[in-house]
Amino acid sequence: MKKILSIIALTLIFAFKSADDKPRIFLIGDSTCANKNPYDEPETGWGQVFPQLFTNAVEIQNHAVNGRSTKSFRTLGHWKKVSDQLHKGDFVFIQFGHNDQKESDTTRYAAPQTDYRKNLIRYIEEVQAKGATPILLTPVMRRKFDENGKFVDQHGEYPKVVREIAQQYHLHLIDAHKESQKIIEQHGVNDSKKMFMIFGGGIYSKFPKGSDDNTHFSPYGARLMANMVADEMVKQGNPLRNFLKKTEFADKYEYELPITYRPAFRKDTFNIVRYGAIADGLTVNTKAINQAIELCNAAGGGTVLIPKGMWITGPIVLKSNVNLHLEKGALLQFSRNYADYPIVLTTWEGQDSYRCQAPIGGFDLENIAITGGGIIDGGGDVWRAIKRDKMTAGQWSKLIKTGVTNDKKDMWYPSEKSMKGNQIPNAGRLRKDSVGTYTIRPSMEELESYKDFLRPNMLSLTRCKNIILEGFTLQNSPAWTMHPLLCDHITIKNVSVSNPWYAQNSDAIDLESCRNGILEGCNFSTGDDGITIKSGRDEQGRKRGVPTENFIVKNNIVYHAHGGFVIGSEMSGGVRNMFISDCTFMGSDVGLRFKTARGRGGVVENIYVNNVNMTEIPGEAILFDMYYAAKDPVLASGESLASGEVKELPEIKSEPVSEATPQFKNFFIKNIVCKGAETGILIRGLPEMAIKNINIENAILECNKGLLCIEAQDINLKNITLLTQDNTIGQIQNSQNVTLDGIKFGSNAETFLKVQGTRSKAIRLLNTDIKKVKNGIILGNKVSNGVVLKK
């Protein structure tokens, strides 16, 4: 009860402060909280980044100092600088303990049950005497694990004393001791190192021999601790939560967005020329480039430099702690000789399969990067089959003078082996044995017979951590262009992808079963999906069970592609917590494309989209489709596949729900503009599994067809303008709890809405003027519950 009264009192304090009188937060404590100088890089206190989480409506002063205890912070005069400023309405965050433990140092030591307790109480009472509010924090954990990987607490009685005092004085308590332990344990023995000052030598000037400090934070660790403090404030209902930054995404604070660890590299540079590489456009430099990478890795890491010039090479194998840097003016041209690419066991479209080795690849690596302003060409034209209907007559006539064509003369292949593999179902894939596991491998003789079909993904990273891809251009990929699989902490910035528009399976990027990352400032033009999120396919994907989660996708442009931002269809491990903003799609077949099919399984949820602009979209501006059939979304004739199928869609029989039943739910989409699309919004679920909780707000969609909503539930469309060519604005079939609030439409409309299907009910129209529409709302004979109209 006293805690509740305390919260009410704090709220009243805010209510009576003048608008010009900012609340002030003072931080007092030790080095884990303190601000650091640039020379101290990368050491960072959590209080140093704490202000980034707040709006400008609050002032934050960080008075924490390295090496201070409850005793020395006062005796050395730091407390007086705070106390002299305090007045009513201020807040003081108090966190000590690390240095109070220093028994050998009488200037700092404070025994937990005596001096430490007394010192904390004295701070509290002096803060309260000024009319300010103290907030106690237990000390954050040091990183320590025993030989069995069990976490070891090193703080003794100190955290307990803080908790007891907070209870005695009815204060807000942020139990950083307990919460920081959770975060460290979640990261585990090895990954938790990146939270602290643990790194090798040759990276930072202050630490030429490296650091093995398990107490002080890296920028990543400091941000995690600051986020933890903010989260505890929100959970406790602390009024200061009202000053935390909100994001553009529904009900999300800044601290709730994913953060990504960014590795740093040694300053040493390994120029490939020193190892025999020659930029003459003839010499194959595979050995020289890989030798430079291996030596760089053996030396503890650094940069492998690809200078200006044209460098021919076969597959490049990345190593940990290496930054492959392409100087502006460098062209890394991958060989078009099939013999340079051995057949390896990898994955293809979410399943285990044999393919040719990727031009650039790496397995089980940490701290890797590809950077610089150079160009990487994958030589994809010698790998890809091409459909006749994607060529002009002149292009086709020239193309068929090389390679081979099928009997129908509607497909071209670069070789006989390529054609053979294309005509064998599941060529290269592992097959099920008698007990249902995928262990039967095709023989090497069989694989060699259609090797040219086994085209590789261009940049393939598997089970890698702490990745930077930045600044370069990828072009002419044999298959998927960038494919991180089971990777963690990925930074992709200012990367361009340029593939031919007819290049099948040439997705610009496929993030598959990856966690924690950012994709920012990229430009993509390709022959398949643009920004693509996956997590494995069907049974194998469900067995892997690793979702793609916690990604920020912002400020990207997608030109030609099958979809601008895409989830699926291989999403059997699930997708969640994606934050997409400020993207532009110009000419992609579909804008926002969410696709799956029966048999996939997996749950896609908590997807946030804001501020997306689109122009000249041949298919759907926004598409949710659970009937994906692995066909181009827009046919060569220009017809939109999904929209065309909806026209003829019969009542489809429901099937039993199982682990193979996919789910789409909890999408929050705002501020969308599309100038030109075949269909504005298409939502098409399964009879046994409706698409659920789709929220679209503030959209202007210029399109031929408006809204098609089939087998959906809890659909909320608010402030949507549908400027359609079709005379029917929307169709709803077998859907429940659909709210259309503030829908506007153009002058072509004759029928506002058609509602059909026995499962259609609770269709609500709010703030929508349909008087000017000739036919208004048409209800089918099978509709079980009509439409509710409200102003």
Side-chain angles (χ1 to χ4, degrees), residues 168-184:
Q168 177 186 348
Y169 280 79
H170 309 293
L171 302 179
H172 279 282
L173 170 71
I174 295 173
D175 199 341
H177 181 258
K178 180 180 72 174
E179 297 303 321
S180 62
Q181 178 178 340
K182 288 181 184 177
I183 295 169
I184 294 168

Side-chain angles (χ1 to χ4, degrees), residues 314-317 334 341-342 344 346 355-363 456-461:
I316 292 173
V317 180
F334 280 95
Y341 300 87
V344 297
T346 178
R355 311 295 293 183
C356 289
Q357 183 174 336
I360 305 179
F363 294 83
N457 295 331
M458 186 169 174
L459 170 56
S460 177
L461 301 173

Side-chain angles (χ1 to χ4, degrees), residues 663-682:
Q663 297 182 54
F664 282 163
K665 61 182 181 180
N666 303 339
F667 285 70
F668 305 88
I669 300 173
K670 293 178 65 176
N671 302 323
I672 308 296
V673 175
C674 178
K675 186 169 180 60
E678 173 60 27
T679 303
I681 302 170
L682 170 57

Side-chain angles (χ1 to χ4, degrees), residues 598-599 627 652-658 660-661 686-689:
R598 282 174 170 151
Y627 288 91
I652 296 176
K653 184 180 178 182
S654 178
E655 293 187 2
V657 173
S658 70
T661 306
L686 299 171
E688 67 271 16
M689 183 59 67

Side-chain angles (χ1 to χ4, degrees), residues 230-485:
D231 190 48
E232 288 299 295
M233 290 166 51
V234 170
K235 288 177 180 176
Q236 295 174 19
N238 190 311
L240 285 172
R241 73 188 187 282
N242 297 318
F243 298 96
L244 289 168
K245 282 183 185 174
K246 294 270 184 79
T247 69
E248 58 205 303
F249 304 109
D251 302 320
K252 289 292 179 182
Y253 290 103
E254 182 75 23
Y255 79 84
E256 294 181 286
L257 296 188
I259 59 172
T260 304
Y261 173 76
R262 184 183 175 95
F265 298 87
R266 286 171 55 91
K267 307 301 182 186
D268 295 347
T269 298
F270 296 73
N271 191 323
I272 62 170
V273 175
R274 290 167 50 194
Y275 306 98
I278 301 173
D280 59 3
L282 299 172
T283 304
V284 179
N285 296 291
T286 313
K287 182 178 178 180
I289 296 172
N290 282 318
Q291 184 181 14
I293 291 171
E294 289 168 3
L295 290 172
C296 180
N297 166 259
T303 296
V304 170
L305 177 64
I306 311 290
K308 294 178 182 178
M310 182 177 182
W311 309 90
I312 308 297
T313 183
I316 292 173
V317 180
L318 300 176
K319 298 290 184 180
S320 293
N321 303 311
V322 174
N323 173 14
L324 182 66
H325 184 82
L326 286 88
E327 193 173 58
K328 187 174 181 180
L331 170 58
L332 192 62
Q333 175 65 65
F334 280 95
S335 162
R336 290 171 165 80
N337 183 356
Y338 298 117
D340 290 335
Y341 300 87
I343 297 171
V344 297
L345 181 61
T346 178
T347 65
W348 175 251
E349 295 185 334
Q351 295 179 322
D352 292 338
S353 181
Y354 282 93
R355 311 295 293 183
C356 289
Q357 183 174 336
I360 305 179
F363 294 83
D364 300 306
L365 307 178
E366 291 191 34
N367 306 329
I368 56 173
I370 303 175
T371 61
I375 298 171
I376 303 172
D377 189 299
D381 44 299
V382 300
W383 295 95
R384 295 186 301 262
I386 299 176
K387 298 176 182 177
R388 180 175 182 173
D389 59 16
K390 291 195 173 185
M391 298 275 103
T392 65
Q395 290 170 330
W396 183 254
S397 176
K398 182 179 179 181
L399 183 66
I400 60 175
K401 292 177 182 178
T402 64
V404 296
T405 56
N406 63 357
D407 292 340
K408 293 182 179 179
K409 305 298 182 184
D410 61 356
M411 285 291 297
W412 172 90
Y413 304 95
S415 70
E416 292 281 356
K417 287 185 176 183
S418 173
M419 182 169 68
K420 179 179 178 179
N422 274 281
Q423 294 174 347
I424 298 173
N426 298 315
R429 295 192 193 274
L430 270 62
R431 297 184 287 272
K432 281 187 178 182
D433 58 21
S434 58
V435 295
T437 56
Y438 290 85
T439 59
I440 298 178
R441 305 185 178 199
S443 68
M444 192 54 63
E445 182 181 10
E446 176 188 343
L447 293 168
E448 285 288 348
S449 74
Y450 51 73
K451 177 181 179 180
D452 305 358
F453 161 76
L454 301 173
R455 53 198 171 107
N457 295 331
M458 186 169 174
L459 170 56
S460 177
L461 301 173
T462 302
R463 297 185 302 274
C464 297
K465 299 177 181 178
N466 316 329
I467 301 164
I468 297 174
L469 305 175
E470 191 166 88
F472 56 93
T473 295
L474 291 161
Q475 65 183 35
N476 199 16
S477 175
W480 292 353
T481 309
M482 292 182 281
H483 181 216
L485 168 64

